[in-house]
Amino acid sequence: MNEFDLIRRFFNRPPADGTVRLGVGDDAAVVTTTPGHELLLAIDTMVEGRHFFADAPPATLGHKILAVNLSDMAAMGAVPRWALLSGSLPDNDPAWLAAFSDGLFALAECHGVSLVGGDTVHGPRSFTLAIAGEAPAGAALTRAGAQPDDDIWVSGTLGEAALALAAMQHQIALDPLLLPVLRARLEMPEPRVGLGLKLRGLAHAALDVSDGLIGDLGHILTASGVGAEIELSRLPCHPALKALLDGASRPLALQCLLAGGDDYELCFTAPPAARKTLVALSRELMLPLTRIGAITAAPRLIVLDEQRQALPTLPAAYNHFPNR
């Protein structure tokens, strides 16, 4: 099976809608954009040994490479539309490829995304996916715009993916019945696209939590020229992680909760006047939205512990290029 047979067999699917005039199979895709809208573009890469284990189920890899890009669209309040996929593969095993493409297309179908092109090469396993979405002109959410006295909110729960990774790396022992639940958060994140669309015109600033809460929140603070004060006791997390905060594993729990990464939840700021609207939105979407702190004028990030004392040191956020 050569490259073109592989693409035709596993990745040439009918487009999600009529916006795709020419998709997989030519030198470039041709799509029709919506009048009065702007294009939003994002790209992510996942590398074996860095972003996923060699034995990771292929269906979860297909899901995740699209999910992390959908999360970027969610953070910008964009409707995801088209994707391009490039894969480096050590072999062309049909069973592996079928499971990978099934995972990818199952999530694509949920969000109306069309895969319109890509490339494959022989080499160490890695994937790069680029996504394009649309938002009404001037309506996209950005990291800039947070204002002093804004509330800081997060969706869902934090730290579960990082806790799963710690257990899989034998840094901590967890209940065997709990690990699969946490591992699903690591390998099958759920992008908050619906929330992102609802936050247009409501949130002042937003992003997705991919590299850890304090690191990603720091991007909002830098872009907006403000600071923040958040409360550790308000951060939403799994009861197992909450329990670790009270014992000898507290440093690991703090790392997972504040800087673990792979959460793919949305962190956003909004004025206090929006609280009732956001509570109602949480009920509508059946998605927890938690107010964790406030934006301050002083340009620094403070995390208050359970006694409302500032943590003297904060864990380091995820670094894509760690010192060796």
Side-chain angles (χ1 to χ4, degrees):
M1 181 169 54
N2 64 31
E3 174 190 6
F4 303 104
D5 292 332
L6 186 158
I7 292 171
R8 279 192 294 269
R9 180 173 175 181
F10 298 106
F11 299 104
N12 192 356
R13 304 281 182 95
D17 56 40
T19 64
V20 181
R21 188 165 72 81
L22 191 60
V24 173
D26 217 303
D27 290 309
V30 181
V31 299
T32 302
T33 55
T34 305
H37 286 60
E38 295 174 322
L39 276 179
L40 291 89
L41 309 171
I43 189 169
D44 273 289
T45 295
M46 296 193 333
V47 179
E48 184 177 292
R50 181 62 174 164
H51 302 100
F52 59 89
F53 293 103
D55 62 351
T60 69
L61 295 180
H63 174 100
K64 189 169 183 178
I65 188 60
L66 179 57
V68 300
N69 282 270
L70 288 172
S71 187
D72 288 329
M73 293 291 101
M76 303 289 287
V79 176
R81 304 302 299 272
W82 313 285
L84 298 164
L85 174 67
S86 176
S88 173
L89 301 167
D91 54 55
N92 59 0
D93 175 35
W96 196 99
L97 286 163
F100 175 88
S101 62
D102 285 348
L104 173 75
F105 284 109
L107 185 61
E109 183 177 351
C110 287
H111 293 279
V113 174
S114 297
L115 183 68
V116 295
D119 189 30
T120 59
V121 297
H122 181 262
R125 184 170 282 121
S126 68
F127 304 97
T128 296
L129 189 141
I131 195 165
E134 295 181 317
L141 300 169
T142 72
R143 299 175 178 185
Q147 301 174 20
D149 298 324
D150 271 2
D151 293 325
I152 303 170
W153 297 77
V154 293
S155 64
T157 54
L158 304 174
E160 292 171 19
L163 184 57
L165 181 60
M168 294 165 71
Q169 294 176 330
H170 308 293
Q171 299 177 42
I172 191 169
L174 296 177
D175 182 336
L177 296 178
L178 175 61
L179 182 56
V181 176
L182 300 181
R183 184 168 177 171
R185 288 297 309 274
L186 174 67
E187 296 180 336
M188 299 279 286
E190 183 177 349
R192 306 303 188 184
V193 175
L195 173 60
L197 297 177
K198 294 287 188 177
L199 290 178
R200 288 196 311 223
L202 186 61
H204 285 161
L207 48 55
D208 74 325
V209 181
S210 56
D211 294 334
L213 174 64
I214 57 175
D216 288 321
L217 176 57
H219 297 319
I220 286 180
L221 305 185
T222 298
S224 301
V226 294
E229 187 175 276
I230 62 175
E231 298 182 39
L232 186 63
S233 62
R234 289 191 178 191
L235 300 185
C237 64
H238 193 281
L241 185 53
K242 182 74 171 178
L244 293 177
L245 286 170
D246 298 326
S249 296
R250 182 177 173 85
L252 175 63
L254 286 174
Q255 176 69 35
C256 292
L257 189 56
L258 294 173
D262 267 326
D263 293 308
Y264 298 103
E265 298 292 349
L266 297 190
C267 176
F268 58 95
T269 79
R275 289 178 186 175
K276 288 185 178 180
T277 301
L278 289 167
V279 169
L281 179 59
S282 176
R283 290 195 296 265
E284 175 189 341
L285 298 176
M286 293 185 289
L287 173 65
L289 299 178
T290 305
R291 183 163 51 91
I292 63 170
I295 296 295
T296 62
R300 59 178 179 170
L301 172 59
I302 297 174
V303 179
L304 300 178
D305 65 15
E306 294 87 346
Q307 288 73 45
R308 295 191 58 80
Q309 300 297 310
L311 290 178
T313 58
L314 298 177
Y318 180 80
N319 182 3
H320 292 271
F321 291 93
N323 294 326
R324 297 189 182 278

